[in-house]
Structures are given as C-alpha cells and as structure tokens.
Amino acid sequence: MIGKMARGGLVGIILRWASSLRFPFVFGLLAVLFVLDLFIPDVIPFVDEIIIGLLTVLMGSLRKRAVPEEDEKRRDGNSSQT
C-alpha cells in the first residue's frame, strides 16, 4: 500500500480504482453533488442526501464487465477459424 501511495498519492489510488468502474464520470458527478448537497439547506432534511448517497454507492458498485476470451480473440483478429 505504501508503494502505491508513493507513486501516485491518494489521488492516484482513487483514479486507479475509478478506472475499474463502468461509469466513472457518473460516479464522480454524483459524489460531487452529494458533497455539495450536504452544505445546501433544504426543506425536508436528509431526504435528497440519502437519495444521492444511495445513487453514488450504486454507481460505485458497478464494475466493468469482463470480456470473454473468445470475444477478445475475435476483436484482435487472432481467431483460429477461417
């Protein structure tokens, strides 16, 4: 962990983790909205914070889909079928 910290710092670790997400931009956008929303007063307290927080957790849990090896071979043009 310390080696990773020295190479990229905390931001590098977060960026490497976010690159494995399916929608990293949407996750970042929701995270920023969540932090901003914590400081903006609203009529019904904590309802929108809970909703945005849950959406952020949902986006953070979606990972990129694994590509089967057969599909990778077809994309590379290395398929054994002619």
Side-chain angles (χ1 to χ4, degrees):
M1 181 72 179
I2 294 174
K4 288 182 181 180
M5 193 75 119
R7 280 186 273 151
L10 185 60
V11 174
I13 292 171
I14 293 171
L15 288 176
R16 278 192 296 275
W17 174 79
S19 68
S20 68
L21 297 176
R22 192 183 302 177
F23 306 109
F25 181 76
V26 175
F27 173 77
L29 182 65
L30 284 172
V32 168
L33 282 174
F34 177 71
V35 171
L36 288 174
D37 194 43
L38 287 176
F39 297 106
I40 299 171
D42 44 84
V43 179
I44 303 174
F46 299 116
V47 171
D48 51 345
E49 285 88 351
I50 292 171
I51 292 171
I52 293 175
L54 289 174
L55 286 173
T56 304
V57 169
L58 175 69
M59 287 293 120
S61 67
L62 294 176
R63 302 281 181 200
K64 289 183 181 177
R65 294 183 182 176
V67 179
E69 291 181 24
E70 297 169 358
D71 290 344
E72 288 180 11
K73 289 179 182 178
R74 289 182 194 149
R75 289 181 188 166
D76 294 338
N78 296 333
S79 80
S80 59
Q81 298 175 353
T82 53

